[in-house]
């Protein structure tokens, strides 16, 4: 049974044939295949203006991204068998990367599953669906995950605002087995209890795995400030690897409660300050505090392109304040998870901040998202995380 076609305008198949997976609304030949005849999430065959098969996927007439490709093989429609196949390929990468089952198992487009994210906490899977097409496939997703991973529980964390763009409701749900409130994970020799239903995003920021590891060689005997700490990952790992002291700052009391608890699990003690990060940095400076290492891991300040100027300004103020708290030979670890903020812009605001303090910045290392968040080279949006490790010295 063939799927209904979605026909593209002339030449609009080129970008897709070069690897991109998204069809924008202005690329559709709406005279021949009016978008409004489709319901959100309908499966379609995407064809060039002269009828050539480009791929099959799903459509959403209400979204700027009108369709996303799931398969480029006419013999393989988007169904449960395709999901199983893609999950097997995704799993084989993660098994090669990590010897423990704590990782992002599926990273959307980059794993050939647009609109689907799955994080794995050993036997518990936390799933996030962001498109109407994936929502339609939800039952198949659950069955496919259950077959490939054999989890004890599957939890849908479908309460992200981005779903509203696709006309989807916000909810959380246990869709398979039983899901505990918290799960244990290990990272860089530390143990963490991760909140699932009550946590942020899908519970743990696996994308920072390598960047936290990259910090460890710098922290022996040091005083560390972990800003936007969430459950304390950076600060606690620093302490467990020999830092002298760590202060976690977060505006969420719940996050800091988890951080204190996680510190105890690792037999270290963190200090915690519940505050807006911008205020906390200013107050620390006013009281003359200094740190050897300052980590900035803020939420995305540039969620949409039009927020770039305001967002860049926020990164500038934040990095400037952090630099002011550094000891003379201190290290700034400055991250941004805003895809729309170019890496060069982040580096530039740090450089400007250093010059403002009459310091010279030295970029020591650069990190990105961990390899369980692969980048799709044709889809720029899949590359988002940047981490810079800098000294700001008085030369
Ligand atoms: N560093 C963490 C992830 C940080 S996520 C890790 O590696 O796991 C971003 C965190 O910033 C969240 O915990 C959120 O509560 C906090 N946050 C958001 N806005 C804030 C603000 N203005 N001031 C302080 N914390 C903030």
């Amino acid at each position: 049974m063939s799927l209904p076609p979605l026909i593209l305008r002339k030449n609009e198949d080129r970008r897709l044939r070069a690897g991109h997976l998204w069809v924008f609304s202005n690329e559709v030949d709406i005279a021949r295949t009016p978008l409004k005849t489709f319901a959100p999430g309908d499966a379609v065959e995407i064809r060039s203006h002269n009828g050539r098969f480009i791929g099959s996927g799903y459509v959403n007439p209400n979204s700027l991204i009108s369709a996303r490709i799931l398969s480029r093989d006419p013999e393989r429609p988007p169904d449960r068998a395709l999901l199983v196949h893609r999950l097997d390929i995704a799993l084989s990468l993660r098994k090669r990367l990590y010897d423990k089952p704590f990782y992002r198992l599926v990273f959307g487009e980059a794993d050939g599953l647009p609109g689907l994210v799955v994080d794995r906490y050993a036997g518990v899977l936390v799933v996030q669906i962001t498109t109407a097409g994936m929502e339609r496939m939800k039952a198949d997703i659950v069955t496919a995950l259950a077959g490939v991973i054999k989890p004890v529980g599957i939890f849908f964390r479908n309460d992200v605002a981005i779903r509203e763009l696709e006309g989807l409701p916000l909810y959380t749900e246990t869709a398979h087995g039983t899901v505990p409130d918290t799960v244990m994970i290990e990272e860089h020799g530390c143990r963490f209890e991760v909140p699932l239903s009550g946590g942020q995003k899908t519970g743990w920021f696996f994308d920072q795995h390598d960047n936290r590891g990259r910090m460890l060689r710098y922290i022996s005997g040091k005083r560390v400030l972990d800003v936007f700490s969430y459950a304390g990952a950076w600060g606690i790992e620093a302490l467990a690897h020999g830092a002298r002291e760590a202060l976690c700052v977060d505006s969420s009391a719940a996050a800091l409660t988890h951080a204190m608890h996680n510190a105890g699990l690792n037999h270290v003690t963190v200090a915690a300050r519940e505050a807006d990060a911008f205020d906390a940095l200013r107050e620390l400076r006013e009281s003359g505090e200094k740190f050897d290492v300052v980590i900035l891991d803020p939420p995305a300040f540039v969620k949409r392109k039009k927020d770039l100027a305001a967002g860049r300004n926020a990164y500038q103020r934040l990095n400037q304040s952090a630099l002011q708290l550094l000891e003379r030979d201190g290290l700034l670890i400055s991250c941004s998870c805003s895809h729309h903020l170019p890496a060069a812009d982040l580096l530039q605001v740090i450089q400007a901040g250093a010059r403002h303090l009459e310091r010279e910045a030295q970029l020591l290392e650069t990190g990105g998202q961990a390899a369980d968040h692969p980048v799709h080279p044709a889809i720029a949006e899949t590359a988002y995380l940047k981490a810079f490790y800098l000294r700001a010295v008085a030369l």
Side-chain angles (χ1 to χ4, degrees):
M1 192 185 73
S2 70
L3 298 169
L6 183 74
I7 300 173
L8 303 175
R9 291 158 53 158
K10 196 170 179 190
N11 294 333
E12 298 293 8
D13 55 322
R14 283 189 188 159
R15 193 174 42 81
L16 297 170
R17 286 196 284 119
H20 212 294
L21 300 176
W22 298 348
V23 178
F24 293 100
S25 52
N26 61 341
E27 296 166 346
V28 176
D29 185 339
I30 48 168
R32 291 160 77 193
T33 50
L35 275 165
K36 58 180 188 299
T37 59
F38 296 102
D42 280 356
V44 288
E45 267 184 14
I46 295 149
R47 293 191 175 271
S48 67
H49 81 289
N50 58 7
R52 177 172 169 174
F53 177 87
I54 306 297
S56 53
Y58 55 76
V59 68
N60 188 343
N62 304 329
S63 166
L64 198 60
I65 303 172
S66 296
R68 302 184 199 226
I69 293 178
L70 267 134
S71 169
R72 291 183 188 276
D73 181 347
E75 305 302 318
R76 257 179 200 277
D79 60 10
R80 192 193 305 166
L82 181 78
L83 291 172
V84 169
H85 176 65
R86 293 280 153 81
L87 290 176
D88 281 335
I89 295 172
L91 180 62
S92 80
L93 168 68
R94 279 66 181 187
K95 281 186 165 168
R96 204 187 309 168
L97 294 173
Y98 296 115
D99 58 7
K100 299 225 165 73
F102 311 115
Y103 42 68
R104 176 147 295 188
L105 172 65
V106 174
F107 182 48
E109 275 69 358
D111 283 303
L113 293 168
L116 182 67
V117 160
V118 183
D119 278 353
R120 179 171 193 188
Y121 301 91
V124 177
L125 301 175
V126 178
V127 184
Q128 199 155 68
I129 290 176
T130 51
T131 59
M134 274 293 164
E135 189 84 2
R136 285 267 193 108
M137 298 179 81
K138 187 173 156 193
D140 283 334
I141 291 168
V142 172
T143 310
L145 284 170
V148 172
I149 305 289
K150 314 228 168 352
V152 296
I154 300 178
F155 185 62
F156 278 88
R157 197 66 213 261
N158 282 344
D159 55 350
V160 273
I162 186 178
R163 283 172 57 93
E164 288 168 347
L165 296 178
E166 291 264 329
L168 294 170
L170 308 191
Y171 66 93
T172 63
E173 179 196 359
T174 296
H176 173 87
T178 50
V179 174
D181 287 340
T182 63
V183 285
M184 292 297 298
I185 66 147
E186 291 172 45
E187 188 179 285
H188 304 311
C190 295
R191 296 165 68 228
F192 294 92
E193 190 170 332
V194 173
L196 295 185
S197 51
Q200 306 216 6
K201 300 277 178 75
T202 58
W204 189 251
F205 293 86
F206 287 117
D207 52 357
Q208 289 281 27
H209 175 278
D210 293 9
N211 294 331
R212 289 191 282 253
R214 204 171 271 119
M215 157 189 74
L216 299 178
R217 61 151 95 154
Y218 297 103
I219 44 79
S220 180
K222 303 296 190 199
R223 182 170 196 229
V224 174
L225 178 62
D226 177 359
V227 190
F228 306 95
S229 68
Y230 182 48
W234 295 81
I236 290 166
E237 290 180 14
L239 287 167
H241 288 82
R244 184 175 88 243
E245 223 181 283
L247 170 60
C248 289
V249 174
D250 202 286
S251 56
S252 157
L256 292 173
T257 303
H258 290 295
M260 304 293 273
H261 176 70
N262 283 325
L265 288 178
N266 293 284
H267 314 293
V268 297
T269 308
V270 285
R273 187 187 286 223
E274 181 191 337
D276 173 74
F278 294 85
D279 294 343
L281 293 179
R282 193 190 61 247
E283 287 159 17
L284 287 165
R285 190 188 72 229
E286 284 166 2
S287 51
E289 302 275 355
K290 291 280 179 191
F291 296 85
D292 303 299
V293 179
V294 177
I295 300 135
L296 298 177
D297 185 15
F301 291 149
V302 190
K303 292 207 171 65
R304 292 157 301 181
K305 211 171 179 175
K306 69 178 175 60
D307 302 332
L308 180 58
R312 196 197 281 116
N313 186 271
Y315 285 104
Q316 166 120 35
R317 286 184 289 125
L318 192 63
N319 280 275
Q320 170 102 36
S321 299
L323 286 162
Q324 285 172 327
L325 289 175
L326 280 182
E327 294 283 5
R328 284 194 90 71
D329 192 22
L331 181 80
L332 173 66
I333 303 178
S334 180
C335 309
S336 162
C337 58
S338 299
H339 156 71
H340 293 292
L341 181 78
D345 286 26
L346 179 60
L347 196 53
Q348 201 276 326
V349 301
I350 302 168
Q351 160 68 11
R355 281 305 306 141
H356 187 73
L357 301 174
E358 302 282 321
R359 303 262 196 112
E360 302 300 330
Q362 296 175 319
L363 178 61
L364 311 181
E365 298 190 41
T366 302
Q369 60 220 50
D372 55 350
H373 295 61
V375 172
H376 190 312
I379 306 179
E381 288 81 352
T382 58
Y384 65 100
L385 187 61
K386 302 158 268 289
F388 289 124
Y389 298 65
L390 302 107
R391 267 198 335 166
V393 285
L395 285 175

